Amino acid sequence: MPAPSEPEKFSIDEMMERLQSPPPEDPVDAGELVVRADGSQAIRVRKRKRRTLQPHKEELRRVRRARMIQVSVVLVLILLVVGSAGIAVVVANSAPFREKLLRDIAWNSGATVETEQIRINPSSVHARRLALSWPAGNVLRSLTLENIRADISLSSFLGKPLHGEEMSASEGTLNLRIPQADELSRNVPDIASPPPQIRYMSYVIPRAQMLLGDPAAPFIRMANSECSFIPHSLNGRPQLLFHRGDITINGWPKLRMDRSHIEFRGTEVDIVGMRLLHETDNRGVFELSGTVYPYAADRASILAAHLESYLLAGIAGPEMGKLFAGRIDSQANSKSHYFSFTPAADHGALFAISFRNSLVSPFEIKRFPFLFGLSQTLGDDWFERPVFAGDVSGVLRRMGGQVTLSDLSFEQPGRMALQGTVIMAPDLKLSGNLKIGIAEAAFQSARSRLLDSMFGPPREGFRWITLKIGGTTAAPTDNFKDLFTAAESTNKPTPSTGIPTFEELTQPK
């Protein structure tokens, strides 16, 4: 069909009406004018896509808007946290905050506090040095810590006390003393409304030192130990743990700390277990346990002692170890195993233990002059350094530098037995008496018949002689030669009898 035609002429009113009304949509603009094969014309209208609602795109737009809001909130929070942290650091490093911190430490410890180079950031507190000192009525004399680091929570900046998981120091020295009953135990008096307590789960010192007594000459010194203090353990008691370390006790051989577990119960201290080692030996074990009463100056503190394969020289001292050498165990079913001391007795300590030789270690006696005399007169080199693989027992007592080996009972079947007491004074002088038993069979091959008159009649398979011990640990003496000489005078040997003198018997071969 031909397109409708429009009039060629318009009146003025028609023209004004057309101008005032929107023009109708041109069908050509809405489509495409095409000519058919028969010559007719038509308008091809394009299909329009139907615009319907699309939920996934709407959801995507909502998620994007939510994310933009979240990012904005996070950025604002970060700015607030950074700003608050900056303000907190400024406040924490101000003089009023530091003074409050020192007051809290002083009240919680009861000590006078000195610090150096305190630095505080939002996560931790650092100090170059912290020194605490207590009055004479406290068992604590002083505590010095180096390079301290403590966790800190944000609540501490809002007036709360310091608290966190751990407070540590690279080094620490604790000085203990015997407290005086008529003196104060705190430098800071108790107040009606005390500040909250400083609470940490643990206090750790990788390299700790502990002294008891005058710092210039302490009675006990422990150094190079790993120390951990747990104020609130599972059983509700504060715990003090030590691992490794070197221990020096005045008048004692050096010891090493293997481990120690100590708990505090009011004014009493419970040593749950303290395991000590010899200075250079790792096989033997020396264990202590019991209760200490540091504030009862006149009350003896008695700790149970236990030895297992421990070197005798580790308790009796290396000087006594030159005469008696071997490993000892504490006797089973005996109550005489203890370490006792009374604070008021000027640190006087007594160690006593009933021992027997360790089954895996023989016992040796050496350097006494009578041993060489026996080896020469009996013609048997074994007696010069006798080794006892059988039963060996005795009682070891040590008070300060004096060591006593009493109730000694050594026996090597078929050869020798020994009984008696040997005492080593603090100046290393020796005293005591030893009863020496020689098996009857040994006299048959003796080089001198004078031994028959020196030794008593047979008893328990041995013939016995009593010797007096003297000299020092470096040069011990006994009266075996004197008894032999007296036997010579009594028997008045003649050239025809052929009995050699003591000097002839003991001449080097």
Side-chain angles (χ1 to χ4, degrees):
M1 289 182 65
S5 60
E6 294 184 356
E8 295 180 359
K9 295 181 180 181
F10 297 94
S11 64
I12 297 299
D13 295 335
E14 290 176 341
M15 293 176 64
M16 293 299 296
E17 182 179 356
R18 289 176 63 90
L19 290 174
Q20 291 177 357
S21 61
E25 183 179 359
D26 190 352
V28 178
D29 293 338
E32 180 183 0
L33 181 64
V34 294
V35 179
R36 296 190 179 95
D38 58 358
S40 62
Q41 295 180 342
I43 296 176
R44 180 185 296 170
V45 180
R46 296 180 180 178
K47 286 187 177 181
R48 298 183 179 271
K49 293 182 180 181
R50 181 175 295 176
R51 300 295 179 181
T52 59
L53 294 177
Q54 299 179 354
H56 65 283
K57 291 189 176 181
E58 291 295 328
E59 182 64 23
L60 180 61
R61 283 193 291 270
R62 284 196 298 269
V63 170
R64 288 177 178 175
R65 286 195 297 269
R67 287 181 179 176
M68 292 178 62
I69 294 174
Q70 291 175 353
V71 171
S72 301
V73 172
V74 170
L75 291 176
V76 172
L77 291 176
I78 291 175
L79 292 176
L80 289 175
V81 170
V82 172
S84 300
I87 295 173
V89 170
V90 173
V91 172
N93 287 276
S94 64
F97 188 90
R98 292 188 181 186
E99 291 176 0
K100 179 184 179 301
L101 175 60
L102 296 181
R103 285 196 303 269
D104 290 349
I105 296 175
W107 185 89
N108 279 267
S109 63
T112 300
V113 182
E114 296 181 4
T115 59
E116 294 180 6
Q117 299 181 10
I118 295 181
R119 303 182 310 279
I120 304 176
N121 58 48
S123 62
S124 59
V125 179
H126 298 261
R128 173 66 181 84
R129 182 175 178 271
L130 175 65
L132 308 177
S133 59
W134 288 266
N138 200 311
V139 70
L140 304 174
R141 182 194 297 270
S142 63
L143 173 63
T144 303
L145 302 175
E146 304 287 341
N147 302 319
I148 304 110
R149 183 190 182 280
D151 300 330
I152 186 173
S153 61
L154 291 178
S155 62
S156 299
F157 298 102
L158 304 176
K160 297 290 184 67
L162 293 179
H163 65 277
E165 289 292 326
E166 181 180 284
M167 177 182 290
S168 63
S170 62
E171 298 181 23
T173 300
L174 175 63
N175 189 197
L176 307 176
R177 63 180 161 201
I178 305 303
Q180 299 180 16
D182 55 347
E183 297 290 339
L184 295 175
S185 62
R186 291 173 58 91
N187 280 324
V188 181
D190 294 332
I191 57 178
S193 298
Q197 292 186 354
I198 297 175
R199 296 173 63 95
Y200 280 90
M201 299 298 293
S202 63
Y203 300 80
V204 179
I205 306 176
R207 188 177 178 184
Q209 179 177 217
M210 185 176 69
L211 311 174
L212 174 59
D214 185 0
F219 171 64
I220 299 178
R221 178 194 297 271
M222 182 177 64
N224 303 319
S225 180
E226 297 179 13
C227 174
S228 299
F229 178 65
I230 303 173
H232 304 283
S233 62
L234 294 178
N235 61 8
R237 298 179 183 177
Q239 292 182 353
L240 182 62
L241 307 176
F242 290 102
H243 181 55
R244 296 198 299 267
D246 304 318
I247 299 179
T248 303
I249 304 176
N250 190 18
W252 279 59
K254 290 184 178 180
L255 301 168
R256 288 183 296 139
M257 174 74 72
D258 182 31
R259 60 179 180 267
S260 178
H261 179 181
I262 301 173
E263 294 185 356
F264 298 89
R265 180 164 43 91
T267 59
E268 300 177 0
V269 180
D270 292 330
I271 299 179
V272 180
M274 181 178 292
R275 183 185 176 100
L276 306 175
L277 303 176
H278 184 269
E279 180 184 9
T280 59
D281 179 72
N282 292 325
R283 287 176 56 189
V285 175
F286 176 16
E287 295 181 338
L288 295 171
S289 61
T291 302
V292 179
Y293 310 95
Y295 287 95
D298 297 327
R299 182 176 181 179
S301 298
I302 302 176
L303 305 179
H306 174 74
L307 295 180
E308 183 177 341
S309 193
Y310 201 81
L311 288 172
L312 177 70
I315 300 294
E319 298 81 9
M320 187 68 87
K322 297 176 182 178
L323 308 177
F324 299 91
R327 296 181 180 272
I328 59 176
D329 298 338
S330 52
Q331 289 269 26
N333 303 322
S334 177
K335 296 182 179 180
S336 59
H337 309 323
Y338 61 89
F339 178 76
S340 172
F341 64 94
T342 303
D346 194 21
H347 304 305
L350 170 62
F351 176 80
I353 193 163
S354 297
F355 69 87
R356 58 159 297 160
N357 62 314
S358 178
L359 297 178
V360 297
S361 173
F363 217 86
E364 183 179 4
I365 300 177
K366 51 189 177 179
R367 302 189 65 182
F368 286 104
F370 76 86
L371 297 175
F372 179 71
L374 288 175
S375 68
Q376 297 301 306
T377 55
L378 294 174
D380 189 344
D381 292 338
W382 180 89
F383 287 93
E384 186 172 353
R385 295 187 64 169
V387 176
F388 295 84
D391 292 336
V392 173
S393 63
V395 176
L396 169 60
R397 296 170 65 89
R398 180 171 194 125
M399 179 176 285
Q402 178 169 309
V403 178
T404 301
L405 296 177
S406 61
D407 299 331
L408 295 176
S409 178
F410 298 3
E411 182 175 336
Q412 182 63 25
R415 282 196 162 176
M416 182 180 178
L418 180 147
Q419 298 175 1
T421 299
V422 176
I423 301 173
M424 182 185 71
D427 58 0
L428 304 184
K429 290 184 178 180
L430 297 175
S431 61
N433 295 283
L434 291 178
K435 296 172 65 176
I436 308 301
I438 303 298
E440 294 184 67
F443 288 89
Q444 298 177 3
S445 60
R447 297 174 58 191
S448 174
R449 294 195 300 269
L450 293 177
L451 292 180
D452 286 330
S453 61
M454 293 173 59
F455 285 79
R459 179 171 56 86
E460 300 175 355
F462 297 94
R463 297 182 63 182
W464 298 85
I465 185 175
T466 300
L467 302 178
K468 184 178 181 180
I469 304 301
T472 65
T473 54
T477 63
D478 57 64
N479 61 338
F480 181 82
K481 178 181 178 181
D482 296 337
L483 295 176
F484 192 96
T485 303
E488 287 180 333
S489 301
T490 303
N491 288 273
K492 296 180 181 180
T494 61
S496 61
T497 61
I499 300 176
T501 65
F502 186 80
E503 283 73 13
E504 293 174 341
L505 288 171
T506 56
Q507 286 179 358
K509 297 179 180 179

